[in-house]
Amino acid sequence: ESTIQLRVRQGDRTVTQKHVTVAADRAGQFGEAKTTFTLAPGGYVIEAYAESAVDGRVAFLDDHAITVS
């Protein structure tokens, strides 16, 4: 089971966050997952990342800016 964290930010504020399990053959492999968020119109940054098993820090961060109209 491979789990990633998803966080939606607007400026410095976290709007929502959740974790999803990705479909991967083995832990550490890339996989796919689908989820939905309901967001008001505006600009956001969606972040996907793993948490370090050693100290809980954010690792492998991937972020993308989006606009909801």
Side-chain angles (χ1 to χ4, degrees):
E1 174 177 302
S2 297
T3 302
I4 60 169
Q5 307 300 316
L6 297 175
R7 179 170 50 207
V8 179
R9 291 187 306 105
Q10 191 169 44
D12 291 335
R13 182 174 72 96
T14 297
V15 176
T16 188
Q17 59 188 44
K18 64 172 82 172
H19 67 271
V20 295
T21 301
V22 297
D25 293 334
R26 293 185 309 242
Q29 285 189 323
F30 292 104
E32 293 185 8
K34 293 182 182 183
T35 192
T36 60
F37 292 102
T38 301
L39 301 168
Y44 300 89
V45 174
I46 298 178
E47 300 175 331
Y49 59 94
E51 291 180 338
S52 168
V54 174
D55 58 13
R57 290 186 190 190
V58 171
F60 310 111
L61 176 68
D62 185 20
D63 59 350
H64 297 272
I66 65 164
T67 300
V68 176
S69 54

